[in-house]
Amino acid sequence: MAGILEGQKLRESTGNEKPFMTTTENDTATETLSELAARVSETHKKRYGRSPEFIVAAPGRVNLIGEHIDYNDGFVLPMAIERYVVMAGSRPDDADEAQSQYHSISMDSSAHLTSTDSPGSNPSAPGWACYVQGVLAGFQKPGRETPVLNVSFDSTVPLGGGLSSSAALEVATATLLEAATSTTLDMREKALICQKAEHDYAGVPCGIMDQFSSVFGKSGELMLLDCRSQEITAVPFGSDDITLLITNSNVKHELNGGEYAERRSQCDSALKKIGKSTWRDISIDDVEAARDQLSEPEYKRARHVVGEIERTTQAADAISAGRWEEVGELMYASHDSLSDDFEVSCDELDLLVDLARGINSEGGVIGSRMTGGGFGGCTVTLVKKDSAPALIDALITRYKAETGVEPSCFTSRPALGAHILPTS
Ligand code: GLA
């Protein structure tokens, strides 16, 4: 899955204060939310000659389990992470100005946009602009005007790593428009406007998980999202001794970006051949019974979808009951299924999971798996908090020795979803 500012290097940390984070990390994005907001605000002032009137933040996400099933009516178990897109806006001096100006600080690129731009109408705009454009268009409706604004933004969500940097940008845009119009969108509508932006303006047929996570994130809680009914059940993270380690393999193997759409259409054709209207009515016995009608890829995708839906609800129950060992086993099973049946893993992700599996519970690892769309990007590893620093060292040394690539690691507890920040 393409991330917004793919290939873009994040800025160095500007300080040591960590009020919004309980993270251990080796990557360069060590800025806290308040530091990021202060820097975006300062840059905005210099660029437009005005202090921002509105500042908002929207987080990236990590998915603990339930992969490639949000577009298959399944359950997913993500959380927002303590990494954000921060966006600042002010009204232009000229009240007749017809176009908004959006400026990416780290990319040092700008786009002039309106809510009436159609998809692809702005071919010279930077790659990230389509996500913003799609949200501007989706926000606009009778009785709800999209305001003209001067905007600056930047991000601490690792880019192109499967942590939903693009969803964070979409949700930040929607939140800025809410702030600037004193509107509060229905949260589901907001997430769906952002998902539609990704479909129509970025051409990615994603499910609802990323945008729902960025909108609905709650501190200290995972969300069990039923992607059929769009209902969320809170799953408190519970233990203070356990955290999530996110390890970016820093590789990307998508051939042409069409792999995601291909998986999606294989699932759709398998569902049709099995003869049911939803994956929720399909058991593994139904898949086996239909095996002769399915192509080999369809059979394998179906096996993953049915198994992953079950694993995800089991994991939510196990977390609620504090049965962490069981959660770990479900995570490994999810990874194996994504690697063998859904075929969206790659050597580097398999290596990271194998290294974690080898370190095992004696070294503080509870479970590990690839997370997000796959073909590179990140793994998510459930770890004992005290063991995280030693684990990070071990993973970095061993992964680098085998691949020659240095992975980036950071820990995050479940974070608050999109919100408006104070302007001073
Ligand atoms: C990407 C998509 C999501 C989801 C995941 C895989 O992140 O944007 O909707 O399908 O891949 O679980």
Side-chain angles (χ1 to χ4, degrees):
M1 185 98 344
I4 31 171
L5 314 171
E6 195 125 85
Q8 180 62 30
K9 212 174 169 334
L10 292 164
R11 292 175 64 100
E12 298 291 329
S13 159
T14 54
N16 298 320
E17 172 215 2
K18 291 200 184 309
F20 287 90
M21 285 193 193
T22 49
T23 63
T24 308
E25 51 199 295
N26 80 320
D27 74 3
T28 52
T30 51
E31 243 178 347
T32 64
L33 177 55
S34 59
E35 288 165 348
L36 174 63
R39 183 167 59 75
V40 171
S41 174
E42 200 45 45
T43 312
H44 185 90
K45 201 149 93 188
K46 282 196 197 126
R47 179 175 176 83
Y48 298 109
R50 283 195 171 199
S51 295
E53 293 166 70
F54 324 100
I55 306 187
V56 301
R61 65 97 190 94
V62 70
N63 187 22
L64 187 76
I65 194 164
E67 216 64 81
H68 284 279
I69 51 169
D70 60 344
Y71 53 86
N72 285 318
D73 273 351
F75 290 91
V76 293
L77 193 57
M79 63 178 220
I81 54 173
E82 296 152 320
R83 297 300 181 96
Y84 303 87
V85 167
V86 164
M87 211 173 239
S90 56
R91 293 184 191 90
D93 289 334
D94 178 358
D96 294 331
E97 180 60 64
Q99 289 188 314
S100 288
Q101 192 183 151
Y102 279 76
H103 177 71
S104 159
I105 296 172
S106 53
M107 294 283 279
D108 193 20
S109 57
S110 301
H112 289 88
L113 305 170
T114 73
S115 60
T116 52
D117 295 334
S118 47
S121 63
N122 215 341
S124 59
W128 51 262
C130 61
Y131 303 103
V132 175
Q133 224 170 1
V135 176
L136 298 184
F139 189 82
Q140 179 86 24
K141 71 171 202 188
R144 197 170 66 206
E145 285 299 301
T146 302
V148 173
L149 295 171
N150 286 334
V151 176
S152 315
F153 69 90
D154 212 343
S155 173
T156 52
V157 185
L159 308 169
L163 299 175
S164 298
S165 50
S166 54
L169 178 59
E170 292 150 9
V171 173
T173 306
T175 309
L176 188 76
L177 297 177
E178 286 180 289
T181 53
S182 306
T183 310
T184 306
L185 293 171
D186 170 78
M187 287 165 88
R188 274 190 184 77
E189 182 190 2
K190 179 172 168 178
L192 294 173
I193 287 174
C194 294
Q195 183 205 23
K196 191 167 162 38
E198 185 116 5
H199 285 194
D200 296 351
Y201 283 75
V204 179
C206 63
I208 61 172
M209 171 169 73
D210 306 347
Q211 293 79 10
F212 270 66
S213 307
S214 187
V215 170
F216 285 93
K218 287 223 177 98
S219 303
E221 288 179 3
L222 293 153
M223 59 181 92
L224 180 67
L225 171 60
D226 178 337
C227 300
R228 181 165 64 167
S229 67
Q230 299 179 355
E231 292 296 319
I232 292 174
T233 307
V235 180
F237 195 66
S239 174
D240 279 345
D241 309 333
I242 294 174
T243 190
L244 284 178
L245 171 64
I246 295 156
T247 306
N248 194 338
S249 64
N250 286 328
V251 298
K252 200 97 198 118
H253 293 298
E254 267 175 333
L255 298 176
N256 53 19
E259 291 83 355
Y260 184 88
E262 183 191 57
R263 293 300 178 284
R264 204 175 163 148
S265 82
Q266 288 166 336
C267 292
D268 290 348
S269 58
L271 180 64
K272 224 180 248 159
K273 288 184 186 172
I274 295 170
K276 297 261 165 88
S277 60
T278 167
W279 286 103
R280 294 280 278 280
D281 295 340
I282 298 176
S283 67
I284 197 66
D285 291 345
D286 296 325
V287 175
E288 293 302 336
R291 183 164 189 174
D292 289 349
Q293 289 120 64
L294 301 174
S295 67
E296 187 61 10
E298 286 166 343
Y299 168 67
K300 290 165 100 178
R301 309 305 179 242
R303 228 168 34 178
H304 169 74
V305 172
V306 170
E308 189 76 352
I309 291 176
E310 198 178 349
R311 281 188 287 275
T312 305
T313 51
Q314 284 172 352
D317 286 346
I319 291 170
S320 303
R323 298 193 305 270
W324 292 103
E325 209 175 305
E326 182 183 336
V327 181
E329 272 155 27
L330 291 163
M331 289 174 78
Y332 289 128
S334 166
H335 183 80
D336 293 343
S337 174
L338 286 158
S339 184
D340 301 337
D341 279 347
F342 217 70
E343 298 176 289
V344 289
S345 187
C346 60
D347 290 348
E348 291 85 352
L349 291 173
D350 290 346
L351 172 64
L352 283 170
V353 171
D354 282 349
L355 290 173
R357 224 190 285 236
I359 293 169
N360 207 332
S361 54
E362 288 107 71
V365 174
I366 299 165
S368 185
R369 55 180 287 278
M370 59 151 278
T371 187
F375 303 105
C378 293
T379 60
V380 57
T381 307
L382 202 52
V383 301
K384 301 245 170 65
K385 212 168 175 177
D386 293 348
S387 312
L391 251 167
I392 290 175
D393 279 351
L395 283 177
I396 291 174
T397 312
R398 295 182 202 173
Y399 178 82
K400 198 173 169 190
E402 293 236 9
T403 62
V405 178
E406 172 139 356
S408 318
C409 304
F410 66 96
T411 60
S412 180
R413 303 251 317 158
L416 180 63
H419 54 283
I420 298 174
L421 298 169
T423 44
S424 55

